[in-house]
Amino acid sequence: MSVVKSIELVLPKDAVYLAGSSIEGQVVLTLNSTLVDPMVKVELVGRGYVEWNEEIGASRDYSRDVICNNKADYVHKTKTFSVEDNWLSAGSHTFDFHFNLPPRLPSTFASKIGHVSYFMQASCVGREHILAKKRMYLLIQGTSDFCKENPLQSPLSVEAEKKVSYNCCRQGTISLQIRMEKNTFAPGEKIVLTTQINNRTSKCLRTVVFALYTHVRYEGFTPKAEPRWRVESSELLRQEANTQITPFDTTTIVSTLRLPLVLSVSSRTGNGELMSTRYELVGTVHLPWSLTCVKAKVPITVASALVDAASCQPREGAALPASQDCQP
């Protein structure tokens, strides 16, 4: 029978931690018998990794692929607990810990090409052998200075118009206008948009789709240390409005999309990071009699303010993510 019965990490369930805030928890070690010369420790680890296959250049052999990858270590902190008299009796023992997160961390992220992950790991070592180990992954929300640099936001309006043909020789015009009070949002916030569709055809329109897309630019290196990059796009949120937009009429639709609690903040390309992210909201009117459609695109900025350590509140212009515990 092993000396260690169990080792557990006690942390708030489903908590989202803001970069720059603190993490407090406990390690609970339960022993079946007395343990001499133990080392009990807890680690905070954050790292990122990207990898993809890419065809070798046009002047070389296309039958072979080259692997492009890159990695980064964002945080690695360790706390080793002191053990009185260098032994622990049978039963449960509780160790408190506290870590401060660095103020500049990317958000927790995962895709087929790359990931950014954070975890806490507790372990118990006796006489150079690992007796027990427990790992728990964390949700970290990155921060940005966007709200500080751009405190004022103006209402935004984007319009798209297309001339369409139907019934052989007949033509008409469909215009799509999207209005928003702002285009910068915090994770977990609601995006409210007002859409106006002007249907100047004799056909009825029935479907309007709103989708938020994420465009991620990954930066990596070949085995010869040559820089490479790759852009991947994915649909983050989608909402479909089924409505009757009658011929030669104008219809207004108010839609709401709620952002996830953890998101990569918008970032500039070429900043030397593993990945940079931008967001785009697309409104689409589908034409039932045609393969074409009318689209209006709005760039969206996702920003999360830094924590003010003195008041344990986010700086002006943003809110702490849901489930975030304010730690002293």
Side-chain angles (χ1 to χ4, degrees):
M1 182 173 63
S2 173
V3 176
V4 178
K5 183 178 180 180
S6 66
I7 186 168
E8 299 293 335
L9 278 164
V10 180
L11 291 166
K13 187 178 180 181
D14 300 326
V16 176
Y17 296 96
L18 200 63
S21 66
S22 60
I23 300 175
E24 289 187 348
Q26 294 178 325
V27 175
V28 180
L29 177 66
T30 304
L31 302 177
N32 288 313
S33 58
T34 300
L35 180 60
V36 180
D37 292 333
M39 183 176 70
V40 184
K41 66 178 181 178
V42 62
E43 298 171 89
L44 169 63
V45 180
R47 56 173 73 123
Y49 185 76
V50 299
E51 180 178 296
W52 70 90
N53 290 337
E54 188 174 279
E55 287 184 337
I56 296 177
S59 62
R60 305 175 197 173
D61 185 0
Y62 270 103
S63 65
R64 296 171 56 198
D65 288 344
V66 61
I67 295 177
C68 302
N69 56 32
N70 198 0
K71 63 180 180 179
D73 292 319
Y74 298 115
V75 59
H76 193 166
K77 297 184 177 184
T78 303
K79 178 176 178 58
T80 301
F81 302 105
S82 60
V83 177
E84 188 175 353
D85 296 330
N86 234 21
W87 66 277
L88 293 171
S89 61
S92 294
H93 304 269
T94 301
F95 306 89
D96 297 325
F97 65 82
H98 174 106
F99 286 113
N100 290 320
L101 290 169
R104 295 296 180 189
L105 290 176
S107 301
T108 299
F109 175 85
S111 73
K112 293 180 179 179
I113 292 179
H115 69 264
V116 175
S117 62
Y118 300 89
F119 61 86
M120 303 289 302
Q121 182 168 279
S123 60
C124 177
V125 179
R127 298 187 180 182
E128 300 183 355
H129 294 285
I130 298 176
L131 301 176
K133 186 162 56 176
K134 179 73 173 184
R135 178 177 293 188
M136 182 179 291
Y137 283 88
L138 306 174
L139 292 175
I140 305 293
Q141 173 57 53
T143 58
S144 65
D145 283 330
F146 185 89
C147 295
K148 181 180 177 181
E149 296 171 356
N150 303 272
L152 300 177
Q153 295 189 59
S154 302
L156 184 71
S157 179
V158 174
E159 186 172 0
E161 185 176 277
K162 178 176 284 190
K163 289 184 178 180
V164 295
S165 299
Y166 59 97
N167 292 348
C168 296
C169 300
R170 302 191 67 178
Q171 288 189 333
T173 302
I174 297 173
S175 65
L176 169 64
Q177 183 187 58
I178 297 178
R179 298 192 302 274
M180 303 169 64
E181 290 301 313
K182 60 179 184 177
N183 72 329
T184 300
F185 302 90
E189 193 176 353
K190 291 190 298 185
I191 298 177
V192 179
L193 56 148
T194 302
T195 306
Q196 184 173 287
I197 300 103
N198 190 353
N199 181 14
R200 293 302 171 190
T201 72
S202 61
K203 294 284 189 177
C204 184
L205 305 176
R206 295 182 175 85
T207 305
V208 183
V209 177
F210 305 100
L212 181 64
Y213 290 92
T214 305
H215 307 288
V216 183
R217 184 182 189 269
Y218 301 93
E219 298 187 13
F221 297 90
T222 68
K224 295 183 178 180
E226 300 168 323
R228 292 287 188 270
W229 58 271
R230 177 169 175 170
V231 176
E232 292 287 325
S233 300
S234 61
E235 187 178 275
L236 181 64
L237 298 171
R238 181 184 180 89
Q239 186 179 101
E240 186 171 313
N242 293 315
T243 183
Q244 292 285 345
I245 305 174
T246 56
F248 301 102
D249 195 10
T250 299
T251 300
T252 300
I253 302 172
V254 178
S255 303
T256 302
L257 299 171
R258 183 174 289 278
L259 294 174
L261 293 177
V262 178
L263 277 177
S264 298
V265 295
S266 300
S267 52
R268 300 180 180 90
T269 59
N271 57 5
E273 299 292 336
L274 285 184
M275 57 192 77
S276 52
T277 308
R278 64 182 181 88
Y279 298 89
E280 186 177 51
L281 180 66
V282 180
T284 306
V285 177
H286 291 278
L287 312 182
W289 68 88
S290 172
L291 296 177
T292 63
C293 57
V294 183
K295 288 187 177 183
K297 300 180 179 181
V298 184
I300 298 294
T301 299
V302 173
S304 185
L306 299 173
V307 168
D308 185 342
S311 63
C312 201
Q313 294 293 327
R315 293 178 182 173
E316 184 178 355
L320 282 170
S323 303
Q324 168 68 45
D325 292 327
C326 193
Q327 306 288 355

